[in-house]
């Protein structure tokens, strides 16, 4: 069974949001079209408590974009974003929510970030996505959403490692590109892990 994972298409990741992904709004119509082409649609939401430790605001003297060690692991400090039950964490207004079968929420515990829709960044706590997919007999995943160089990349790498046939449809993805080349490097990393990364012109 084929499933589409619609990753973090939330207000805060759109232009004008707290952590805007350049041209992130362009993925909304693509998502709405692609959702019709899959048997199952799972949408993810970045779903942080207000005091999440990936927020620069929780570290006096630190600024957005700095990298700190958080319990021994490098953590990029982000602006406050996708705080659960706030408008910033809502799905983009134009996203066809009625086409979503399941919602997976991630990065819900204060002390650890979670770019992947499967596990936190320490690979300790699972979100329940793997169980859900196995229960439904899903073996083939396609990913779209935000952001190519964070949540898409980490979700795709975990999916491939877990044995799912994994495709990333770039026409439905946009990246943050904190540093020049981040998106290209993410694509190369996904490809070398066996992920099929489909360029926009071939995407359908
Ligand atoms: C994401 C940065 C921080 C993402 C989430 O969804 O790609 N990026 N939190
Ligand atoms: Zn986040």
């Amino acid at each position: 069974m084929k499933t589409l994972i619609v990753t973090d298409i939330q207000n805060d990741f759109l232009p004008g949001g707290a952590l805007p992904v350049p041209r992130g709004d362009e993925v909304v119509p693509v998502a709405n079209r692609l959702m019709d082409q899959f048997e199952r649609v799972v949408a993810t939401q970045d779903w942080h408590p207000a005091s999440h430790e990936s927020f620069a605001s929780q570290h006096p003297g630190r600024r957005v974009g700095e990298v700190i060690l958080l319990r021994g692991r490098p953590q990029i400090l982000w602006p406050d974003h996708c705080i659960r039950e706030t408008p910033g964490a809502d799905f983009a207004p134009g996203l066809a929510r009625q086409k979503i079968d399941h919602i997976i929420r991630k990065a819900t515990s204060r002390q650890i970030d979670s770019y992947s829709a499967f596990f936190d960044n320490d690979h300790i706590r699972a979100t329940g996505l793997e169980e859900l997919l196995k229960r439904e007999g899903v073996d083939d995943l396609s990913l779209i959403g935000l952001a190519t160089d964070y949540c898409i990349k980490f979700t795709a790498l975990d999916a491939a490692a877990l044995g799912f046939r994994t495709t990333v449809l770039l026409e439905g993805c946009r990246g943050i590109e904190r540093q020049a080349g981040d998106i290209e490097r993410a694509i190369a990393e996904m490809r070398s892990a066996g992920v099929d990364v489909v360029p926009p012109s071939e995407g359908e």
Side-chain angles (χ1 to χ4, degrees):
M1 163 133 71
K2 289 178 56 157
T3 289
L4 183 68
I5 312 267
V6 177
T7 306
D8 295 3
I9 304 187
Q10 294 166 268
N11 287 325
D12 272 343
F13 293 126
L14 303 186
L19 206 180
V21 178
R23 302 191 293 135
D25 53 323
E26 293 176 3
V27 306
V28 174
V30 181
N32 289 343
R33 171 166 52 80
L34 288 174
M35 286 193 281
D36 289 331
Q37 299 173 16
F38 285 81
E39 296 164 86
R40 281 284 186 286
V41 175
V42 178
T44 69
Q45 282 177 302
D46 208 28
W47 200 249
H48 294 300
S51 59
H52 197 261
E53 293 185 18
S54 73
F55 297 168
S57 62
Q58 299 302 304
H59 306 274
R62 300 291 188 171
R63 276 169 298 139
V64 168
E66 275 187 64
V67 178
I68 63 161
L69 278 184
L70 202 56
R71 268 165 282 278
R73 128 184 315 276
Q75 170 69 51
I76 302 164
L77 295 179
W78 301 108
D80 291 14
H81 66 278
C82 297
I83 295 171
R84 58 184 173 217
E85 271 138 25
T86 67
D90 278 350
F91 290 118
L95 191 70
R97 293 155 194 243
Q98 72 279 10
K99 298 180 183 176
I100 298 169
D101 298 302
H102 300 283
I103 294 174
I104 290 285
R105 289 169 169 161
K106 61 180 182 62
T108 56
S109 55
R110 200 168 71 83
Q111 297 90 349
I112 178 90
D113 213 350
S114 180
Y115 297 137
S116 163
F118 288 98
F119 301 103
D120 63 36
N121 289 358
D122 276 341
H123 262 249
I124 292 172
R125 274 185 51 181
T127 59
L129 178 58
E130 180 186 7
E131 259 189 306
L132 168 75
L133 298 173
K134 298 244 157 103
R135 189 166 69 232
E136 299 212 335
V138 176
D139 52 5
D140 188 307
L141 293 182
S142 292
L143 271 62
I144 56 168
L146 309 171
T148 316
D149 34 1
Y150 290 94
C151 285
I152 293 285
K153 176 180 107 171
F154 285 91
T155 301
L157 293 177
D158 279 346
L162 290 169
F164 293 98
R165 201 148 5 94
T166 308
T167 303
V168 170
L169 303 170
L170 289 179
E171 67 163 343
C173 299
R174 295 293 182 277
I176 295 177
E177 193 89 339
R178 244 180 95 247
Q179 285 167 349
D182 279 355
I183 295 173
E184 275 315 309
R185 280 188 290 274
I187 290 170
E189 220 180 306
M190 290 189 282
R191 286 196 170 131
S192 51
V195 175
D196 185 14
V197 182
V198 181
S201 48
E202 297 170 32
E204 248 320 315

